[in-house]
């Protein structure tokens, strides 16, 4: 889905936002060049880790991954994590469905309530959505690396993964599946399957993908441990744990 950029700010190269926008505009290739690792590091300014600002600033600019939602009264809002809500002043795309996005925000330093903020959207890109399935036979033996940075995490009922793998110089689309029900004793243990679909292993590239976890058993308002397994190289497997709570 192509999304518009919000160029109401003429110079928004603060915190690497301008370079991040250029990187994400190449999503149709489904890769980010390996050199972008350093550039993405400059984007890692999570809004929910940056509260407690200097009161001398009216606004601050951040890069964030969040969910676009709408209230029953048709007010569009951004859910940053399980508790923090941001209300955009200049959202223009027209809400069609709830979705995860990667965006740059200019956020007011004056909260409108507990964990409630207003912001202007500088740029915005939809994240690729992987499928969640209980079919344990889906293909996916191809390895990938998962980055342990601010872009990999579980928030608002979504698992978001910043990953790297090999692609061909003329890449085909890879398929990513999150398989549930792999452990009959733990419904919150899942396996990430990556099918390169025969793509050549010529260039290392990285990107971001998200999975909607709300099909898992309801946690009843409590946090449960979500265990993610994936193939990290050859026959080797890796594992990472997250805190997960069902989105309401």
């Amino acid at each position: 889905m192509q999304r518009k950029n919000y160029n109401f700010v003429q110079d928004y190269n603060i915190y690497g936002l301008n370079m991040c926008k250029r990187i994400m505009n190449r999503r149709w290739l489904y890769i980010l060049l390996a050199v972008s690792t350093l550039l993405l590091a400059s984007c890692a300014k999570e809004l929910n880790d940056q509260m407690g600002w200097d009161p001398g600033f009216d606004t601050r600019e951040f890069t964030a991954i969040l969910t676009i939602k709408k209230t029953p009264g048709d007010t569009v809002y951004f859910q940053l994590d399980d508790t923090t809500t941001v209300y955009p002043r200049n959202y223009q795309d027209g809400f069609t469905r709830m979705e995860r996005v990667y965006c740059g925000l200019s956020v007011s330093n004056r909260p409108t309530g507990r964990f409630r903020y207003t912001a202007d959207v500088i740029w915005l890109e939809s994240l690729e959505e992987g499928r969640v399935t209980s079919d344990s036979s889906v293909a996916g033996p191809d390895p990938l690396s998962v980055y342990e940075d601010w872009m990999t995490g579980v928030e608002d009922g979504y698992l978001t993964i910043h990953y790297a793998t090999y692609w061909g110089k003329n890449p085909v689309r890879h398929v990513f599946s999150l398989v549930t029900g792999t452990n009959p004793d733990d419904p919150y243990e899942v396996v990430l399957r990556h099918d390169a679909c025969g793509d050549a292993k010529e260039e290392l590239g990285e990107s971001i993908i998200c999975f909607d976890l709300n099909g898992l058993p309801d946690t009843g308002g409590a946090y449960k441990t979500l265990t993610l397994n994936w193939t990290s190289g050859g026959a080797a497997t890796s594992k990472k744990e997250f805190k997960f709570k069902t989105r309401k």
Side-chain angles (χ1 to χ4, degrees):
M1 179 179 178
Q2 182 65 40
R3 308 299 293 268
K4 62 172 66 65
N5 293 319
Y6 295 78
N7 294 322
F8 74 100
V9 175
Q10 296 301 313
D11 181 8
Y12 52 87
N13 202 29
I14 302 175
Y15 304 127
L17 291 178
N18 196 29
M19 189 59 72
C20 288
K21 179 177 74 68
R22 293 176 188 173
I23 292 171
M24 293 310 294
N25 280 343
R26 303 183 63 185
R27 285 183 61 256
W28 63 274
L29 289 175
Y30 296 98
I31 65 170
L32 298 171
L33 297 177
V35 71
S36 67
T37 301
L38 293 176
L39 299 174
L40 281 171
S42 69
C43 302
K45 304 290 183 181
E46 274 196 295
L47 179 61
N48 51 330
D49 285 342
Q50 297 291 330
M51 300 307 177
W53 296 323
D54 185 331
F57 290 93
D58 290 330
T59 61
R60 296 289 291 272
E61 294 185 359
F62 299 92
T63 300
I65 293 175
L66 48 80
T67 313
I68 299 181
K69 295 181 174 182
K70 181 184 280 190
T71 68
D74 290 336
T75 298
V76 173
Y77 66 98
F78 295 164
Q79 193 66 42
L80 182 69
D81 53 27
D82 292 341
T83 57
T84 308
T85 303
V86 177
Y87 290 89
R89 286 185 289 248
N90 66 328
Y91 179 78
Q92 302 169 8
D93 281 344
F95 181 89
T96 56
R97 65 182 181 90
M98 183 175 68
E99 62 176 323
R100 293 288 280 176
V101 299
Y102 184 69
C103 64
L105 301 174
S106 178
V107 184
S108 173
N109 192 23
R110 299 180 178 86
T112 57
R114 183 172 173 79
F115 302 116
R116 292 164 58 98
Y117 292 81
T118 58
D120 289 309
V121 181
I122 300 172
W123 54 269
L124 184 150
E125 294 287 343
S126 299
L127 289 186
E128 180 183 0
E129 297 181 13
R131 64 172 176 168
V132 179
T133 178
S134 60
D135 182 3
S136 60
S137 68
V138 297
D142 297 304
L144 76 163
S145 298
V146 174
Y147 290 98
E148 296 195 24
D149 58 17
W150 73 271
M151 289 177 280
T152 296
V154 173
E155 294 174 329
D156 193 35
Y158 284 92
L159 168 64
T160 304
I161 299 174
H162 177 204
Y163 69 91
T165 190
Y166 281 94
W167 308 78
K169 293 182 180 179
N170 296 301
V172 300
R173 182 170 183 172
H174 296 202
V175 176
F176 297 86
S177 304
L178 193 69
V179 183
T180 65
T182 57
N183 183 350
D185 297 322
D186 185 359
Y188 303 107
E189 183 167 348
V190 296
V191 177
L192 175 62
R193 298 275 179 85
H194 166 222
D195 182 4
C197 300
D199 197 11
K201 298 179 180 180
E202 297 173 321
E203 296 181 336
L204 182 65
E206 56 187 276
S207 191
I208 309 171
I209 192 166
C210 65
F211 299 89
D212 190 344
L213 300 175
N214 254 37
L216 295 178
D218 197 313
T219 64
Y223 281 97
K224 301 291 186 179
T225 298
L226 179 83
T227 303
L228 173 68
N229 300 280
W230 72 93
T231 301
S232 54
T237 58
S238 295
K239 180 169 67 175
K240 182 174 176 58
E241 294 182 345
F242 305 87
K243 293 300 182 182
F244 162 66
K245 182 171 68 172
T246 302
R247 180 178 62 250
K248 299 298 184 181

